[in-house]
Amino acid sequence: MSQLGIEGAHPGGINLTKKIFERENVNKNSHILDVGCGTGQTVAYLARKFGAHVTGIDINSIMVEKAKKRMKEKRIQANVIQCTVEKLPFLDNQFDFVISESVLSFVDTSSALNEIYRVLKRGGRLIAIELTMKHPLSEKEEDAIKQFYGFNSLTLKKDWEVRLKQAGFDHIRIKKNTSTNPTPVFHNPEGMEPELYEILEQHLEYSFKYQGILEYRIYSCTK
Ligand SMILES: C[S@@+](CC[C@H](N)C(=O)[O-])C[C@H]1O[C@@H](n2cnc3c(N)ncnc32)[C@H](O)[C@@H]1O
């Protein structure tokens, strides 16, 4: 993402994020945490649209740098911190919302969910747009997909539900993502290395092959 200059990398893109938050009770007093914020597109949107207190965290230094640059250039008041979602540098009960957009499959999901639960206020909500397997694949196929994308796990809908419950979440709602991905915008295609084209090609091949099996769901739940 960072090398290709892609702004946002979750299914449905920023339009899905906007649609989700239209239905949430967000205002200028809301404290929102975006875990795995990437280049900060969602952080910037939430801070500008609602005037909320927004913090983004990401483990990747290039992402953090890009997100900080975005806030500075657009004169947006928001914090961006480099850290892991598995060990958040926040006190308990700080946030009204935590958003995770295509992040939890890359990490130790249980640790991440425990941490997210810890930093949410009571009554606070987790909204997660996450990869969801429709049915299990062969071990070989799962390993190849995990290795290519760097996923830590490939999870079925029922297992996401179990993990959310184990972390303590309640009122779990699961929705199908029906919106389509906006076409990615590459800011520096002329600078793209051949290796990156190959990665994109492999991604398109997997997307086609596992269409209808590797899907996304929108999970929302309450502490
Ligand atoms: C598919 S991208 C999604 C980025 C962003 N949420 C978006 O929708 O554009 C996954 C992001 O998760 C971040 N990430 C991966 N492991 C992480 C971890 N352990 N803690 C925090 N961020 C992590 C990556 O650096 C990357 O920015």
Side-chain angles (χ1 to χ4, degrees):
M1 267 179 76
S2 51
Q3 289 185 46
L4 293 174
I6 297 173
E7 293 216 25
H10 62 271
I14 192 68
N15 290 337
L16 176 61
T17 310
K18 289 180 181 175
K19 227 165 104 183
I20 289 172
F21 276 94
E22 265 170 23
R23 287 183 237 118
E24 298 292 334
N25 187 16
V26 184
N27 58 51
K28 66 179 173 39
N29 298 317
S30 304
H31 286 77
I32 308 175
L33 174 64
D34 182 2
V35 293
C37 66
T39 67
Q41 195 179 34
T42 292
V43 171
Y45 170 73
L46 294 173
R48 175 141 293 168
K49 168 84 181 170
F50 300 103
H53 306 272
V54 189
T55 303
I57 67 107
D58 202 286
I59 201 166
N60 182 301
S61 60
I62 304 175
M63 296 293 187
V64 169
E65 198 185 298
K66 286 193 179 242
K68 283 186 171 168
K69 190 164 169 252
R70 184 196 293 272
M71 304 313 146
K72 197 171 169 194
E73 282 175 1
K74 297 196 169 169
R75 296 186 180 186
I76 290 171
Q77 288 287 331
N79 292 324
V80 182
I81 300 168
Q82 187 180 2
C83 68
T84 174
V85 63
E86 292 144 5
K87 198 169 183 341
L88 293 169
F90 307 113
L91 297 173
D92 300 355
N93 310 313
Q94 295 288 299
F95 295 95
D96 300 287
F97 294 92
V98 173
I99 178 138
S100 167
E101 298 180 304
S102 191
V103 176
L104 296 176
S105 293
F106 293 97
V107 303
D108 175 343
T109 314
S110 299
S111 309
L113 287 175
N114 288 341
E115 276 296 85
I116 290 170
Y117 187 87
R118 181 182 69 74
V119 302
L120 271 170
K121 291 178 186 170
R122 191 143 298 279
R125 290 167 55 66
L126 165 65
I127 297 161
I129 305 166
E130 298 296 345
L131 183 70
T132 302
M133 245 191 336
K134 203 160 183 195
H135 59 74
L137 296 167
S138 72
E139 202 179 321
K140 198 174 155 203
E141 283 178 305
E142 287 196 17
D143 284 348
I145 295 166
K146 279 194 217 166
Q147 200 190 347
F148 176 71
Y149 288 104
F151 290 134
N152 189 51
S153 54
L154 294 171
T155 310
L156 298 164
K157 189 170 87 172
K158 66 176 174 54
D159 294 332
W160 276 118
E161 213 172 340
V162 169
R163 287 173 184 204
L164 289 167
K165 279 188 186 148
Q166 274 171 349
F169 287 102
D170 217 345
H171 305 298
I172 300 167
R173 277 188 289 156
I174 307 170
K175 278 193 189 160
K176 199 167 176 175
N177 170 23
T178 48
S179 49
T180 51
N181 252 352
T183 313
V185 179
F186 301 122
H187 290 305
N188 58 344
E190 64 286 345
M192 201 187 289
E193 289 168 24
E195 197 190 342
L196 291 178
Y197 277 114
E198 278 172 35
I199 292 173
L200 277 180
E201 247 173 32
Q202 178 67 74
H203 165 63
L204 290 175
E205 196 185 311
Y206 278 145
S207 304
F208 184 69
K209 187 170 174 192
Y210 298 111
Q211 211 174 13
I213 300 169
L214 293 181
E215 297 186 333
Y216 278 79
R217 291 288 182 274
I218 305 157
Y219 298 86
S220 64
C221 49
T222 308
K223 175 170 175 180

